[in-house]
Amino acid sequence: MDKIIVLAPHSKCRDLNIRDCDTRAKQIAELLASKANAELFLSDELREDFDLNRSTGRDRPWRRTLENLVLSYYRDPDVRHIWVLEMHSFPRQSWEVSRDEKMVIVSIPEFAQTGNALANYINASIYQGTEKNDIQYTYTPFRDKVTVLLIESCEDKTHLSDTELNDKLQKIIEYIKTGSTNTNIPIWVLESTKYELYIKILCTIILVLIIYIIFFLTEHLSVLSDKQPLHI
């Protein structure tokens, strides 16, 4: 069996007039969780206090509870796969997206193959995530059994109506049930993987050089010290 966990780390709002949260995330997360019979994690802290999707929020109780749940499912042999769906929302034509999007999948390279397949299935765009997407990066060591995807939805209901939103959420659930895959991986995934390897090789070479230089200097200084004349 599969387990689905729906998150909304920026869903706690204080004043919608100044947009201190993702204004549609709570509604969407609740709807998706209800449809999928999933675990639901709504944020219990304001984003300005602790951004639960950043590395600074890792030790918050919300993140610890989520981690304990994911790990308990990960250790359960009856659980085939764990889907962590992180729901966000954005103002229409905001700086976050380059086009007038309705729904966007954001994925780091480790989950991009599944993210790209899901984006194609629900007719959405896929964007590359960054180190800011800390919840995704937290579970990369467990990606043999865990998939984490960040899903952004437009907050303007005249652009993404509740009806269309409902249809897309239903297709997300259908995708998870069918386990469909897509081998058309975005070019940036391959590039990221390639450059990541080059960086690791470069770091290894630099480390070896540093160790060699330290060893050489230590030996050289030792020889010079032995050759110093005695002053009586």
Side-chain angles (χ1 to χ4, degrees):
M1 63 176 173
D2 286 6
K3 289 292 186 178
I4 303 174
I5 303 172
V6 178
L7 315 177
H10 301 152
S11 59
K12 184 171 183 177
C13 304
R14 181 171 55 194
D15 185 353
L16 294 178
N17 294 319
I18 61 173
R19 198 181 180 278
D20 59 356
C21 63
D22 289 357
T23 60
R24 206 176 180 184
K26 181 176 183 290
Q27 171 213 350
I28 297 171
E30 288 176 336
L31 181 58
L32 179 59
S34 175
K35 284 177 169 294
N37 191 27
E39 302 274 359
L40 176 64
F41 280 72
L42 298 175
S43 57
D44 56 3
E45 297 184 89
L46 292 170
R47 184 176 185 176
E48 64 188 48
D49 295 331
F50 285 98
D51 190 332
L52 297 171
N53 187 34
R54 300 290 186 265
S55 58
T56 53
R58 287 182 182 178
D59 290 329
R60 305 305 298 168
W62 190 90
R63 287 285 295 269
R64 289 296 188 185
T65 303
L66 170 63
E67 180 179 308
N68 290 336
L69 180 63
V70 172
L71 291 178
S72 68
Y73 286 152
Y74 186 83
R75 297 185 183 107
D76 187 343
D78 293 329
V79 176
R80 184 190 71 88
H81 201 78
I82 304 147
W83 298 84
V84 181
L85 304 177
E86 187 180 336
M87 312 307 290
H88 294 254
S89 65
F90 60 90
R92 186 176 181 183
Q93 295 179 320
S94 70
W95 62 268
E96 297 176 62
V97 291
S98 60
R99 299 189 296 274
D100 194 10
E101 305 283 12
K102 293 184 177 182
M103 184 173 283
V104 167
I105 307 294
V106 179
S107 176
I108 61 175
E110 287 83 352
F111 301 116
Q113 182 168 347
T114 303
N116 191 56
L118 177 60
N120 289 337
Y121 191 80
I122 67 174
N123 191 26
S125 298
I126 183 168
Y127 286 75
Q128 183 176 7
T130 68
E131 69 281 353
K132 293 180 180 179
N133 308 121
D134 189 65
I135 293 176
Q136 287 191 326
Y137 274 104
T138 297
Y139 295 104
T140 54
F142 308 99
R143 58 185 178 275
D144 61 311
K145 194 173 175 177
V146 181
T147 296
V148 186
L149 295 173
L150 192 155
I151 303 173
E152 292 264 11
S153 300
C154 183
E155 294 170 353
D156 186 344
K157 293 187 179 183
T158 64
H159 188 53
L160 176 61
S161 67
D162 284 337
T163 301
E164 186 176 3
L165 170 66
N166 185 74
D167 291 342
K168 286 185 179 296
L169 295 181
Q170 190 61 46
K171 286 185 74 66
I172 291 173
I173 297 170
E174 290 174 5
Y175 175 84
I176 290 174
K177 288 181 178 179
T178 58
S180 301
T181 59
N182 189 325
T183 57
N184 295 321
I185 305 175
I187 295 299
W188 54 262
V189 178
L190 303 178
E191 291 177 344
S192 297
T193 304
K194 178 181 67 176
Y195 293 135
E196 188 176 72
L197 175 62
Y198 290 165
I199 291 171
K200 288 180 179 178
I201 292 173
L202 179 60
C203 289
T204 302
I205 293 172
I206 292 173
L207 181 60
V208 170
L209 286 174
I210 290 173
I211 293 173
Y212 175 79
I213 291 170
I214 292 174
F215 177 81
F216 175 82
L217 289 176
T218 302
E219 289 295 313
H220 187 65
L221 291 174
S222 176
V223 171
L224 288 177
S225 177
D226 292 340
K227 291 182 177 181
Q228 288 296 325
L230 293 175
H231 299 281
I232 301 177

